[in-house]
Amino acid sequence: MSASPKSRRRVLVGVSAVATISLGLGVAAGSRLTSPADAAARTAPPKASQITVPVEKRALSAKVVSRGDASFDGAVNLRVETSGLRTPAVVTGKVPAVGSTIREGKALLEITGRPVIGLAGVLPMYRTLSPGSKGPDVLQLEQTLNRLGFDPGTVNTVYDGNTASAVERLYSAAGYDAPTPDEQLTQAVDAAKQNVDAARSALRQAQQALKQAKAAAPRPGQDTSVETGAVSDARTRLNEALTAQSEANAKAGTPLPVSEVVFVKTLPRRVDDVKVERGGVVSGTVMSASGAALVVTIQVDAQTKERLKVGLPASLDLGDAPIAATVRRITRSGDHFNVVVAPKSLTASQLEQLRSANVRVTIPVKSTNGKVLAVPVAALSAGPDGSSRVEVQRNGTTDLVKVTVGLSADGYAQVTPVGGAKLAPGDQVVVGR
């Protein structure tokens, strides 16, 4: 039995629908299929592009930045030479407190009731000085006395009466009686005075005898040569006695006992540690002291040291406002150099903050005179002839511009175009790709 026309139409519609769906699936599947070359092309990284930055106008400042420990400058141990004392060297007073200040011309300690006066000088006190003493230690003493305003007369290597008088004034200013000379010397002065008195008396007697002889003479021209000679002899003995008295007085001038002065290279200083106590006996070091000024010390290598010099300005970073400072000295320490930086002034609060702290130190070593053309150091390259150059992008092209390089700091370098080349703020220079 044959199908009806209606049935045949349903079959054709179904076949047509299946064909359409198959065609769509085929197209979709085909669109997802790619060749290996197409796949590699699609997954390859994008073509590299140049990285540029603009040329700037800026001031450059090169600086050394480091961290250092704060301390009081130049610690020294102070010793008192007590070998000349006739009694035990007992500490009787003026024991300083840690943190106090030793000042020149003032007592830093009392031993057996006598002061130990601090003076600035490089030679240690190794002997008692007194009238007649000669040497470089006398010269140092007189220079110190003269600097402190206690006129020692002619500043030389001889301890004389003027030096002794200046020492008296030193003790008076410190609030103490001046030292007394040895008893033998004072006895010699007394004996010399008695000799002068006796010589004066003998001269008066001789002069009286001559006067009487002249008055008793019956006629003018009578011989009085004996009495006249006696007067001359008496006058000579008086002059000799006066000279001896002057010498005795000079020898008995105010001495400077070795146990009553300590010379320290510089003063004032801060007491860091005290080794003695009242009632104790001095033996060796009595105290250690550092400079009264607080400093910060950093270490640098030899190359950096060549960029530094004494007197350069510096700054200390305490976390708020920087503290102005200067480079005080530079000393070698093995393979490195110690750079000592001293603040110009400190408040009590800043001093307390800095004490024993680790501090950031900045020392500018060179700067440009105002704003200059500058590019990142990464923008510089070397040409075949060794010259410096930068790559500049302009209007889609890249030009190589020769430059001379000036100061480099903070990752930037000062540049100046060479031979009429153009380079201006805002020009894009290549720093990478």
Side-chain angles (χ1 to χ4, degrees):
M1 184 162 80
S2 60
S4 65
K6 188 175 183 180
S7 296
R8 286 196 299 270
R9 282 196 301 269
R10 287 196 186 107
V11 172
L12 288 173
V13 170
V15 171
S16 177
V18 170
T20 300
I21 293 171
S22 298
L23 178 60
L25 291 174
V27 171
S31 67
R32 294 177 180 271
L33 296 175
T34 59
S35 69
D38 290 339
R42 291 183 179 182
T43 58
K47 187 176 182 180
S49 60
Q50 293 176 322
I51 302 172
T52 63
V53 296
V55 177
E56 297 184 30
K57 268 274 199 178
R58 62 158 60 193
L60 297 180
S61 177
K63 48 185 174 277
V64 173
V65 180
S66 184
R67 298 195 69 87
D69 293 323
S71 63
F72 288 92
D73 197 18
V76 294
N77 291 327
L78 304 185
R79 300 173 60 93
V80 180
E81 179 55 64
T82 59
S83 59
L85 292 176
R86 297 176 182 175
T87 60
V90 177
V91 177
T92 54
K94 291 284 185 179
V95 180
V98 172
S100 60
T101 301
I102 300 171
R103 301 192 183 279
E104 188 172 22
K106 303 299 180 182
L108 56 89
L109 194 66
E110 281 183 1
I111 298 176
T112 65
R114 295 295 299 166
V116 179
I117 297 175
L119 296 176
V122 295
L123 289 177
M125 193 74 176
Y126 63 90
R127 62 170 176 163
T128 292
L129 299 177
S130 58
S133 296
K134 297 179 181 180
D137 51 349
V138 176
L139 176 61
Q140 174 179 264
L141 171 64
E142 292 190 352
Q143 289 172 334
T144 301
L145 291 169
N146 191 58
R147 177 169 46 78
L148 293 177
F150 307 119
D151 182 14
T154 302
V155 176
N156 54 24
T157 60
V158 180
Y159 194 122
D160 57 16
N162 290 326
T163 313
S165 298
V167 169
E168 285 185 30
R169 293 191 290 274
L170 169 68
Y171 274 82
S172 178
Y176 291 88
D177 292 333
T180 56
D182 288 343
E183 186 176 352
Q184 289 181 342
L185 295 176
T186 58
Q187 290 175 348
V189 169
D190 292 339
K193 183 178 182 303
Q194 292 174 2
N195 289 338
V196 168
D197 291 341
R200 282 199 174 107
S201 178
L203 176 60
R204 285 194 298 269
Q205 292 175 3
Q207 289 171 334
Q208 184 64 26
L210 176 60
K211 182 178 180 180
Q212 290 175 351
K214 288 181 178 180
R219 62 182 183 276
Q222 184 175 349
D223 184 17
T224 58
S225 59
V226 173
E227 290 81 5
T228 300
V231 169
S232 178
D233 291 344
R235 184 170 286 113
T236 298
R237 287 192 294 271
L238 175 59
N239 289 336
E240 290 174 349
L242 288 171
T243 300
Q245 183 185 40
S246 177
E247 292 174 353
N249 285 334
K251 291 179 181 178
T254 300
L256 186 62
V258 66
S259 61
E260 296 190 12
V261 164
V262 170
F263 276 100
V264 188
K265 186 175 181 180
T266 58
L267 287 172
R269 287 179 179 265
R270 177 186 182 272
V271 177
D272 292 335
D273 188 23
V274 179
K275 308 291 187 181
V276 296
E277 60 183 7
R278 191 171 185 178
V281 177
V282 172
S283 177
T285 300
V286 295
M287 67 186 73
S288 61
S290 58
L294 188 144
V295 298
V296 177
T297 303
I298 63 173
Q299 276 198 339
V300 300
D301 57 26
Q303 184 177 3
T304 304
K305 181 262 179 186
E306 293 302 317
R307 303 167 66 191
L308 302 175
K309 63 180 180 179
V310 173
L312 281 178
S315 63
L316 309 179
D317 185 6
L318 275 183
D320 45 12
I323 297 173
T326 56
V327 176
R328 174 173 289 180
R329 64 177 177 274
I330 303 172
T331 58
R332 192 181 189 97
S333 177
D335 295 334
H336 294 80
F337 291 84
N338 289 330
V339 181
V340 177
V341 178
K344 292 184 177 180
S345 63
L346 292 173
T347 65
S349 174
Q350 289 171 332
L351 179 63
E352 192 59 35
Q353 283 182 276
L354 279 174
R355 195 187 303 274
S356 300
N358 185 266
V359 183
R360 185 173 183 264
V361 179
T362 302
I363 308 173
V365 292
K366 196 173 182 182
S367 61
T368 57
N369 186 16
K371 293 184 177 182
V372 296
L373 279 180
V375 299
V377 173
L380 297 170
S381 62
D385 58 355
S387 62
S388 296
R389 60 189 186 179
V390 293
E391 294 182 70
V392 184
Q393 276 196 352
R394 295 190 182 101
N395 302 320
T397 62
T398 300
D399 295 328
L400 287 175
V401 177
K402 283 188 176 182
V403 294
T404 57
V405 181
L407 177 67
S408 295
D410 298 326
Y412 279 80
Q414 176 186 0
V415 292
T416 304
V418 175
K422 302 296 184 181
L423 191 64
D427 286 348
Q428 296 292 318
V429 291
V430 177
V431 295
R433 289 178 172 79

